[in-house]
Amino acid sequence: MAKLQKIGILTSGGDAPGMNAAVRAVARKALDEGIEVVGIVGGYAGLIQDEIIDFTPRSVSNIIARGGTMLYSNRCLEFKTEEGMQTAIATCKKHGIEAIVACGGDGTFRGATDLTNRGIPTVGIPCTIDNDITATDYTIGFDSAMNTTLGMLDCLRDTCESHARCNVVEVMGRDCGQIALYTAIAAGAVAAIVPELPFDEKELIERIGKLSKEGKRSFLVVISEGVFTPDGKKYGEVLTPKIEKETGVETRFARFAHIVRGGAPSLRDRYTATRMGIKAVELLLEGKSNLVVCEIDGKIEALDINYSQVADRYFKKTLKPGNMESLTPAQQQAVKDLADKRYAELCEMYEMVKVTSK
Ligand code: ADP
């Protein structure tokens, strides 16, 4: 097998703090191995619009501490079409890009698989603040987003305590409750409400009423953005007036939204991005492809993108016909065990919030 000569790197989908650290690690490791590196600007759109920049070690100077992504990110629908895909392949050929490291979430990895299937080897690096890629314990951006969320919850807690108030706070996470659960535990919230687990509204309202009568002044209720009422309303907005009406505790609603996607990446995110970036280049050098770099029990490993996607769909109950059958029996069992493990982790955190919120 001829040695890899040139790789491309892109960031795609929702941005996450630490993407820059991943780009830097990939570029520096590849250059250290004598491989040429190009940055693809604006995610997959850069391959369609031929926006490619040559990287030297200096191209990624002074980005490790910066939020956002210096390569920019786009949601590129054209890339999902066969015509768009062929344009992308032609751009790779034109620039001699032999392999691609794609930083992003599950959509980004689906795009990477499409490239792999058309002859461009790819490795994915999981970057999303939501930590919603089931196969990996950890995604780049999660820690930073949680710390930003926590800082803002602490601020709200101060003012809730002063004025004897309750604040219902909607946090990011899409259909994944991890940001809500972790930050609720760390902020001392009275409840975390997440899409994956049932929630007892009556119990919470009674508890807030009782604790208020006993002298507790501040209440935080952390709710994931993916929790809706049966008729499609944002549940946090519906719950807020109910708490006030039924407990007499003044209750306000806050939504942190995209603020937590920005800001300087935490040490954890920079470190993990560096480890994953180096691993991605090593995998390509070993001739491997269609893999996603994962952190599993503290180790950096690689899993097949298809396996990762089926694991995701199994856990999120969005399996399509044939998904499970595309895996070996051993992989199917591993997917089931992983889903059980993830569910148990969520339940454990959920209990932790309850037990510590007296
Ligand atoms: P994320 O990677 O954060 O999940 P998206 O789902 O928006 O974000 O995906 C990012 C980009 O990946 C899309 O804009 C598109 O260019 C590409 N992509 C997503 N899904 C597919 C798919 N099924 N086939 C090919 N490309 C895809």
Side-chain angles (χ1 to χ4, degrees):
M1 193 176 62
K3 190 183 173 233
L4 208 53
Q5 302 286 324
K6 193 188 245 190
I7 66 166
I9 174 155
L10 59 82
T11 55
S12 158
D15 66 347
M19 272 182 159
N20 279 328
V23 169
R24 172 181 176 272
V26 170
R28 294 263 168 94
K29 172 67 178 169
L31 292 164
D32 189 59
E33 295 284 349
I35 304 169
E36 286 179 69
V37 184
V38 295
I40 299 159
V41 180
Y44 292 117
L47 287 178
I48 295 193
Q49 288 151 15
D50 195 4
E51 284 193 60
I52 310 292
I53 44 177
D54 292 331
F55 270 1
T56 71
R58 295 280 67 74
S59 307
V60 290
S61 286
N62 204 21
I63 64 166
I64 195 165
R66 273 168 43 199
T69 160
M70 58 91 74
L71 281 175
Y72 308 136
S73 186
N74 254 327
R75 301 207 193 260
C76 175
L77 296 180
E78 202 184 336
F79 184 72
K80 290 187 181 180
T81 66
E82 188 55 38
E83 204 186 343
M85 194 67 61
Q86 289 308 328
T87 311
I89 300 286
T91 305
C92 290
K93 296 258 149 58
K94 177 181 162 192
H95 291 272
I97 301 168
E98 294 170 348
I100 285 179
V101 177
C103 303
D106 53 348
T108 300
F109 301 153
R110 274 195 287 278
T113 295
D114 286 348
L115 282 176
T116 302
N117 291 341
R118 287 163 182 79
I120 306 286
T122 54
V123 171
I125 297 182
C127 297
T128 156
I129 64 162
D130 303 326
N131 207 31
D132 62 347
I133 297 175
T134 309
T136 180
D137 292 343
Y138 189 81
T139 61
I140 295 164
F142 180 48
D143 187 61
S144 308
M146 282 199 301
N147 281 304
T148 305
T149 302
L150 180 61
M152 296 200 291
L153 286 172
D154 287 345
C155 291
L156 272 178
R157 181 72 182 261
D158 286 346
T159 177
C160 283
E161 184 73 20
S162 303
H163 293 277
R165 251 183 222 147
C166 174
N167 228 306
V168 176
V169 185
E170 185 190 283
V171 300
M172 298 287 274
R174 293 201 292 187
D175 50 5
C176 175
Q178 291 201 40
I179 291 181
L181 283 164
Y182 276 102
T183 60
I185 292 167
V190 282
I193 308 170
V194 298
E196 299 93 333
L197 299 173
F199 166 69
D200 187 344
E201 180 183 289
K202 190 164 166 278
E203 184 278 328
L204 175 68
I205 291 179
E206 281 173 7
R207 190 150 46 92
I208 291 177
K210 179 171 170 285
L211 289 169
S212 169
K213 285 197 184 76
E214 289 169 3
K216 186 171 168 68
R217 291 180 62 84
S218 59
F219 300 90
L220 290 176
V221 175
V222 181
I223 178 164
S224 240
E225 64 177 338
V227 183
F228 293 89
T229 62
D231 58 346
K233 295 198 179 83
K234 286 276 193 178
Y235 181 55
E237 292 175 21
V238 174
L239 178 64
T240 302
K242 273 193 194 170
I243 294 176
E244 178 160 312
K245 186 162 171 266
E246 292 179 36
T247 65
V249 177
E250 185 187 357
T251 304
R252 296 193 175 181
F253 177 75
R255 175 174 289 131
F256 290 171
H258 285 74
I259 293 170
V260 306
R261 283 240 301 249
S266 66
L267 183 149
R268 168 75 152 114
D269 280 328
R270 296 182 207 187
Y271 177 62
T272 308
T274 303
R275 291 176 85 197
M276 287 186 169
I278 288 171
K279 180 74 175 182
V281 175
E282 286 171 353
L283 291 166
L284 288 177
L285 275 170
E286 287 163 20
K288 296 186 175 148
S289 177
N290 208 33
L291 297 173
V292 53
V293 181
C294 294
E295 182 185 304
I296 299 166
D297 297 332
K299 294 200 187 76
I300 302 298
E301 295 179 17
L303 290 173
D304 183 67
I305 287 184
N306 181 51
Y307 170 86
S308 159
Q309 279 172 353
V310 176
D312 240 13
R313 289 191 180 147
Y314 183 83
F315 184 63
K316 294 170 187 164
K317 300 187 174 62
T318 54
L319 275 179
K320 291 185 182 153
N323 279 163
M324 275 304 246
E325 294 68 24
S326 70
L327 302 182
T328 64
Q331 283 177 320
Q332 291 182 20
Q333 190 55 49
V335 161
K336 289 177 185 163
D337 293 345
L338 180 63
D340 289 346
K341 182 178 163 217
R342 292 280 174 252
Y343 191 74
E345 286 165 357
L346 293 176
C347 292
E348 193 185 334
M349 283 190 277
Y350 195 72
E351 268 313 299
M352 241 185 262
V353 180
K354 269 196 168 172
V355 168
T356 57
S357 68
K358 298 286 181 248

